[in-house]
Amino acid sequence: MDPFNALADLLVYRMMGLPQGNGPADALHFFIMDLGKIFFMLVVIIYLMGWFRALVSPSKVRRFIQGRSKFAARGMACGLGAVTPFCSCSSVPLFIGFVEAGIPLGVTFSFLITSPMINEVAVILLATTLGWKVALLYVAAGLTVGFFGGIVMERFKPEQWVEEYVWKAHTEQSCGCKKEEDNSLRGRHDYAWKETTSLVRKIWKWIVLGIGVGALFHGYMPVDLAQNLGNNLLSVPAAVVIGIPLYNSAIGAIPVAEAMLLKGVGLGTTLAFMMSVAALSVPEMLILRKVVRWPALGLFCAVLTGAFILVGFGFNGLNSVVNLVNGV
């Protein structure tokens, strides 16, 4: 039995006496259930992964990629971007460090695409909320977008749009996140707990907002209307465009995605929305503007927008074929 669902049942349907199947009651039930589940999992997962991250730093990531063939470096950049989600302020020093190390800009952009879109906390939360199938599809799509998105960026020779100071800068620049290495048990605990409290303080309001939007969608959106809106030809581009101004993380987008899938919105539309929210936020773009000029930023956004739309159409089409074969 899901303890968070049981708690929501107890509070909403028994103690408060609200009828099941009623819009406000179902919305409140969804909110209480996801609020408890996501915050509990968030604290536990961030703390456990903090023990691993205590051994990882941006400079180590750079050294690991440096000197590899372009194909290997791009694959490693995507993989490391998925498992080393540094804070947003690290984007600038990471970019400068990669440039100084001679790592091609296409590889650097592959890392910058993958890092905000995929992280182990979001993946585990996604798996516990929507199942491992959806989580693995999201990861596979994100890695693919990161790999080929970097290749497309490289074709346009983005070096011409890098700010001049980047080529002269040194990696001593820091975002204030640098830490002295302490590999003792106490040191790892301190780092993991500091990372947990810091991240929760930073994103809790966006998670609550995401849960609230998901709850309203779950409680008030008619199933037929959601299916019609979520599965027509324009649903995927619309989901990507709507997701761009919504400043949130992949974690905060999970409850909205959960509500969308529960109402019958297409898997591709839902994944495209999540990717857009996680990788195309306005604050992230403004941070990247410090190191690249507007043409590069516009190209970066256009490449990701196109990639997310292709991902959405691809998964919706695949899902339709599977349903057709199964006679659904």
Side-chain angles (χ1 to χ4, degrees), residues 15-31:
M15 295 182 65
M16 298 178 66
L18 297 177
Q20 192 169 355
N22 174 269
D26 288 349
L28 182 60
H29 181 279
F30 182 96
F31 184 85

Side-chain angles (χ1 to χ4, degrees), residues 182-248:
D182 182 357
N183 295 331
S184 67
L185 292 178
R186 179 67 186 180
R188 292 194 193 186
H189 163 75
D190 290 343
Y191 178 80
W193 184 246
K194 181 180 179 181
E195 178 129 326
T196 301
T197 55
S198 174
L199 185 56
V200 170
R201 280 199 300 267
K202 186 184 300 183
I203 67 174
W204 71 267
K205 64 185 73 173
W206 306 112
I207 294 176
V208 172
L209 178 62
I211 295 172
V213 171
L216 291 174
F217 192 92
H218 178 73
Y220 290 94
M221 175 65 74
V223 175
D224 292 342
L225 179 59
Q227 289 177 342
N228 290 334
L229 292 176
N231 295 291
N232 64 44
L233 192 61
L234 296 178
S235 65
V236 174
V240 173
V241 172
I242 291 171
I244 292 175
L246 300 180
Y247 176 43
N248 214 321

